[in-house]
Amino acid sequence: MSIAARFRIQRAHFLLDVDFSIPAQGVSVLFGPSGCGKTSLLRAIAGLDHIPGGLLSVGDTAWQSGETFVPTHQRALGYVFQEASLFPHLDVLGNVEYGLKRVPIPQRKLSVERLCALMDVTPLLKRKVDTLSGGERQRVAIARTLAANPRIILMDEPLTGLDQERKLEILAYILAVQREFHIPVLYVSHSRDEVNRIADYLVLMDSGRIMATGEVHEIFARLDLPLAQDSEAAVVIDAIVTSHDEEYSLTELKFPGGTFALPSLSLAVGARVRLQLAARDISLTRELQSGTSILNIFPTTVEAIAPAGAAQVIVRLSAAGVPVLARITRKSAARLELQPGSLVYAQAKSVALLS
Amino acid sequence: MMLSPEDISALVITLKLAVLTTLILLLLTTPLAWWMARTRWRYRYLLEAVVALPLVLPPTVLGFYLLVMLGAHGPVGKFMTAIGGQPLAFTFAGLVIGSVIYSLPFVVQPLQNAFAAVGPRPLEVAATLRASPLDRFFTVAVPLAQPGFVTAAVLGFAHTLGEFGVVLMIGGNIPGETRVASIAIYDHVENLDYLHAHWLAGILIAVSFVLLAVVYGFNRRFRLLQS
């Protein structure tokens, strides 16, 4: 099942022209700089703005097509706005139940108790909304959205205005919700960090156009996109906790291309985590190094090389199919005689745990 | 008691007129104010000017046209006669019509401002939570515009209490039917009966003050609540 959208929005200084589809599962992020049309597109998808000639379908349901335009309140969608936008005249419970009450009983699939517990809003239910902190407000807003039993949740930069700690907290809640209820999320963001942490699928936007769509691992490693050229270029890798090394306080994680050892994580064996490998933290060797302090080494095949400035190149590697980027000097690439197909060992100086 | 039975009857008529006028205005103008607060119609300002006219026109001008319209030879008067009724001039019903027009801006403007202050966002949120347009209006727009309703009701009521010129023009001064407090005061002064004039005038001042204090007090509390 997938979600397909086609819109052409002409604004005074701006043309948005998009045609794309995303899988109706997991978290898809509409990613691009501020002002590239992400919010306009999300509003068109929600039906908050009626864009004549647009096309939008979720699975086999057409929400907009030709003359058909299903008004927002008849679309089974949820929308989390940049500001929590809670109703000030209702208490927290009133807010959470607002959408729920409007869903016919047979269509109510989620247990409100369960989702309130999951979002940790149960202790807040009797509170007035103007007594909540920013993070609490956004949690209530997400719970309210979920309670209306949406088939898809749209989120428009829901972390705006929160401090870093709160951001991570809300992201963790969004991921927990995603795992528990399996509702597809379309998330608008201009923050690479947020994308790294939650995106499964990426829709890359710039100046009103779609530059690329695809799996986040794949898009990050595409040398023809500006993401890989950026000095912050990195890939994300999903791995599974396999064992804990008590003696050295390390946790071992496995991904298809090899293993990682990270300082002890308080996670159960079998837990899924997301790791980030920055391209500038990867060095390459022809032979497997033994006399090195680096623990995280895995074999890879060079797939492509592209220049990155005058002195450096960016190398796309495949670790058993998992894309990895390495940013090294042009001189090193020449010395190693790197070319597509070369077998090299990737050494990761640092591995960041994202979730 | 310093109020004569005629004065009490004038106060009762005034009160009845103000209550009816306020209710009718709230019912009739809420949709108008809602529409005016949200429309992007380019000529909205013309309608706003028309609504504001009673603010600036001398009441005698309003009263004069109403008299012409409602009297036996006016279009409304003829229509009333044709359907077996009687002309509305010099009746309580005519007074109500006059008051509705006279106090129109005092009800429409606070409502329009209150609806505009609600903004589109809460209504969009409600739409994404499955609320139909009518549902959104009653469960989101009206509760959030509540201070505007209080202001509109009190201002409409208080302004009708103080009505004089329009009433004089179209209501005449029929005791027990169209003689309102403001006109009774005028009569007392004409007859140099200052004592009764004082009593009626004092009551109007007291009632108006209390009502306005309620509005300002309520709006202040509301602002505190929002901050």
Side-chain angles (χ1 to χ4, degrees):
Chain A
M1 203 172 83
S2 69
I3 297 155
R6 190 171 78 211
F7 290 104
R8 194 181 157 84
I9 306 172
Q10 181 68 64
R11 292 277 151 83
H13 306 284
F14 185 79
L15 171 72
L16 180 89
D17 193 355
V18 300
D19 185 356
F20 67 99
S21 75
I22 52 172
Q25 60 182 5
V27 179
S28 303
V29 177
L30 271 177
F31 179 53
S34 298
C36 74
K38 304 184 298 287
T39 297
S40 301
L41 177 55
L42 204 66
R43 289 179 60 84
I45 290 172
L48 291 172
D49 294 328
H50 184 177
I51 309 301
L55 193 83
L56 180 74
S57 61
V58 173
D60 47 15
T61 315
W63 279 347
Q64 186 175 351
S65 164
E67 294 299 302
T68 309
F69 179 80
V70 180
T72 302
H73 69 279
Q74 287 167 9
R75 302 183 179 194
L77 58 79
Y79 199 113
V80 178
F81 291 84
Q82 233 174 61
E83 327 80 53
S85 305
L86 300 179
F87 296 128
H89 61 297
L90 301 174
D91 62 9
V92 171
L93 180 66
N95 270 277
V96 171
E97 286 188 333
Y98 187 90
L100 175 74
K101 284 178 180 163
R102 288 161 175 80
V103 178
I105 291 166
Q107 288 174 31
R108 297 181 190 174
K109 296 201 186 82
L110 308 186
S111 145
V112 175
E113 286 85 44
R114 180 82 196 91
L115 82 90
C116 284
L118 198 71
M119 295 300 298
D120 281 332
V121 298
T122 315
L124 308 176
L125 288 175
K126 289 281 185 312
R127 296 260 295 273
K128 290 181 90 71
V129 298
D130 54 7
T131 65
L132 302 179
S133 70
E136 287 170 339
R137 294 173 70 84
Q138 204 52 278
R139 259 152 56 201
V140 172
I142 294 171
R144 173 176 71 175
T145 301
L146 283 167
N149 285 261
R151 283 180 62 194
I152 174 172
I153 301 179
L154 312 176
M155 294 189 173
D156 185 8
E157 310 216 10
L159 307 184
T160 306
L162 301 179
D163 58 48
Q164 185 60 17
E165 208 175 319
R166 292 289 93 68
K167 282 185 183 178
L168 296 183
E169 185 188 300
I170 299 289
L171 282 175
Y173 281 113
I174 294 172
L175 287 171
V177 160
Q178 172 58 39
R179 272 194 294 271
E180 175 96 9
F181 300 121
H182 307 290
I183 302 170
V185 173
L186 181 54
Y187 186 107
V188 160
S189 177
H190 68 266
S191 152
R192 175 71 195 259
D193 185 53
E194 287 171 31
V195 175
N196 288 350
R197 287 172 194 278
I198 67 165
D200 295 313
Y201 201 84
L202 205 55
V203 177
L204 208 59
M205 279 186 75
D206 194 27
S207 312
R209 287 174 191 281
I210 307 278
M211 295 171 69
T213 59
E215 293 279 339
V216 65
H217 314 93
E218 178 55 34
I219 294 282
F220 280 173
R222 265 181 56 182
L223 300 187
D224 59 327
L225 297 174
L227 290 175
Q229 292 290 326
D230 194 278
S231 60
E232 301 292 314
V235 294
V236 292
I237 290 178
D238 293 320
I240 292 171
V241 176
T242 49
S243 64
H244 296 286
D245 179 346
E246 302 294 338
E247 190 189 348
Y248 291 109
S249 291
L250 292 174
T251 295
E252 190 157 284
L253 302 117
K254 204 174 119 207
F255 79 109
T259 60
F260 290 109
L262 265 69
S264 241
L265 308 173
S266 52
L267 289 168
V269 169
R272 287 181 64 87
V273 298
R274 178 168 277 193
L275 306 171
Q276 179 181 329
L277 294 185
R280 58 172 144 58
D281 290 338
I282 304 287
S283 58
L284 304 178
T285 60
R286 274 293 192 176
E287 278 85 42
L288 179 61
Q289 300 288 302
S290 50
T292 173
S293 67
I294 292 177
L295 281 178
N296 297 314
I297 302 176
F298 46 91
T300 63
T301 310
V302 174
E303 287 190 333
I305 304 171
Q312 294 185 307
V313 293
I314 185 97
V315 184
R316 181 191 158 113
L317 308 154
S318 163
V322 177
V324 175
L325 290 180
R327 194 183 174 92
I328 58 173
T329 59
R330 200 153 52 84
K331 186 174 180 180
S332 308
R335 272 197 191 164
L336 292 173
E337 294 172 353
L338 294 187
Q339 51 189 325
S342 304
L343 298 175
V344 289
Y345 288 92
Q347 307 189 129
K349 201 169 70 188
S350 88
V351 178
L353 177 77
L354 293 180
S355 60
Chain B
M1 187 63 174
M2 295 316 290
L3 291 174
S4 65
E6 288 81 26
D7 285 347
I8 291 175
S9 141
L11 277 175
V12 169
I13 288 170
T14 307
L15 220 63
K16 223 171 82 181
L17 181 65
V19 168
L20 263 175
T21 302
T22 308
L23 287 180
I24 291 172
L25 273 174
L26 284 178
L27 278 176
L28 286 185
T29 65
T30 298
L32 174 71
W34 172 245
W35 181 80
M36 280 170 59
R38 293 165 50 84
T39 184
R40 292 186 193 147
W41 185 46
R42 56 191 298 205
Y43 296 117
R44 181 181 74 177
Y45 67 95
L46 293 177
L47 189 64
E48 284 174 330
V50 169
V51 168
L53 267 182
L55 282 175
V56 295
L57 282 180
T60 44
V61 171
L62 280 181
F64 169 67
Y65 282 114
L66 280 166
L67 186 65
V68 170
M69 298 277 287
L70 303 180
H73 302 292
V76 180
K78 278 183 183 157
F79 172 77
M80 289 303 292
T81 316
I83 62 169
Q86 51 168 351
L88 293 170
F90 307 112
T91 65
F92 183 74
L95 225 54
V96 172
I97 293 174
S99 304
V100 162
I101 292 169
Y102 178 63
S103 297
L104 182 76
F106 289 82
V107 175
V108 173
Q109 287 182 354
L111 285 182
Q112 186 185 341
N113 292 341
F115 283 137
V118 169
R121 177 53 54 80
L123 297 156
E124 289 182 349
V125 171
T128 67
L129 293 169
R130 319 281 189 95
S132 67
L134 204 62
D135 187 358
R136 303 201 277 274
F137 175 76
F138 283 111
T139 61
V140 177
V142 169
L144 290 182
Q146 192 199 0
F149 278 92
V150 174
T151 306
V154 173
L155 288 186
F157 187 89
H159 189 242
T160 309
L161 284 188
E163 191 177 342
F164 180 78
V166 178
V167 179
L168 203 62
M169 295 289 285
I170 61 167
N173 187 0
I174 306 164
E177 191 171 350
T178 63
R179 178 189 282 174
V180 297
S182 60
I183 291 184
I185 293 170
Y186 181 75
D187 281 352
H188 287 317
V189 173
E190 285 270 273
N191 299 324
L192 299 178
D193 181 0
Y194 278 30
L195 181 63
H196 284 100
H198 264 306
W199 270 97
L200 274 181
I203 288 173
L204 283 191
I205 289 180
V207 170
S208 303
F209 172 75
V210 168
L211 286 174
L212 291 176
V214 164
V215 169
Y216 288 112
F218 185 87
N219 280 353
R220 187 179 58 98
R221 222 182 52 228
F222 180 76
R223 272 201 298 276
L224 284 177
L225 216 133
Q226 291 289 295
S227 61

